[in-house]
Amino acid sequence: MAVKVDEEIDFVYLFGVLKRQKVFIFLIFLAFMLFVFTVLLVWPKTYISESMVQLGSIGANVQTKNIFEPVAAKTIMEGKEVVYDAVREYNEKLGRNMTVRRFKEVHLEVELVKEQVGRDESLANYLKVRVKTNNPELSRRVNDMIIG
């Protein structure tokens, strides 16, 4: 059963309304653009330095298979001993007094990399280290100190 539509769209009338309201439409568009521009200027910028770290036998004989497991390597990479110098550098550069725990919560992400072969998903021998700060050079230096 077909539905009959008796009402038609009058494009002449529609364009007439748009023509009469062009100043209002332009002012709404301009206000929106000013708002977006202001937000972009005020919003703090975040710079991310990201590294992929391949896990291996750090200081061990390869024949003994003493290779760090991904979960253990993630724990080591997030550990206070590894992050402490980077936090000290961050605090000196910005004149802050951030603790290691707070730095890890706000600025540091260490992620296990997963690989998928067919339907099986497993942990790869890689870690992704990501440092976020408001200074691009500082992000790079802190990241280098953590993975270095």
Side-chain angles (χ1 to χ4, degrees):
M1 182 168 123
V3 177
K4 253 186 168 178
V5 177
D6 293 335
E7 296 181 26
E8 294 181 9
I9 298 174
D10 186 2
F11 287 110
V12 174
Y13 173 75
L14 185 62
F15 286 121
V17 170
L18 289 174
K19 187 176 180 182
R20 285 190 302 271
Q21 298 294 327
K22 66 183 173 191
V23 173
F24 178 71
I25 293 170
F26 179 73
L27 289 175
I28 294 293
F29 173 76
L30 189 64
F32 178 74
M33 292 304 292
L34 284 171
F35 173 75
V36 169
F37 184 70
T38 304
V39 167
L40 287 175
L41 284 178
V42 173
W43 199 272
K45 293 170 183 54
T46 301
Y47 298 94
I48 299 173
S49 177
E50 188 173 281
S51 300
M52 291 286 275
V53 179
Q54 183 177 9
L55 306 178
S57 57
I58 303 170
N61 187 348
V62 178
Q63 294 175 347
T64 63
K65 304 286 186 195
N66 190 6
I67 297 175
F68 286 111
E69 291 293 321
V71 176
K74 180 180 186 286
T75 304
I76 292 169
M77 190 66 74
E78 291 176 327
K80 189 174 186 176
E81 298 79 17
V82 174
V83 179
Y84 179 77
D85 290 334
V87 173
R88 191 185 63 208
E89 171 80 17
Y90 175 83
N91 286 334
E92 288 174 3
K93 184 81 171 174
L94 297 179
R96 296 192 178 153
N97 191 17
M98 186 172 283
T99 63
V100 172
R101 177 185 290 166
R102 182 72 180 144
F103 181 85
K104 290 191 304 187
E105 289 172 358
V106 175
H107 299 290
L108 179 65
E109 293 177 20
V110 179
E111 179 183 336
L112 296 169
V113 177
K114 296 180 181 176
E115 63 183 358
Q116 187 166 355
V117 179
R119 293 184 180 178
D120 298 330
E121 185 176 274
S122 63
L123 294 176
N125 283 337
Y126 293 94
L127 290 177
K128 185 184 293 185
V129 179
R130 186 178 298 124
V131 176
K132 298 182 284 187
T133 68
N134 58 359
N135 181 321
E137 180 62 25
L138 183 60
S139 289
R140 187 192 63 75
R141 287 181 61 195
V142 169
N143 194 335
D144 288 346
M145 290 181 79
I146 290 172
I147 64 170

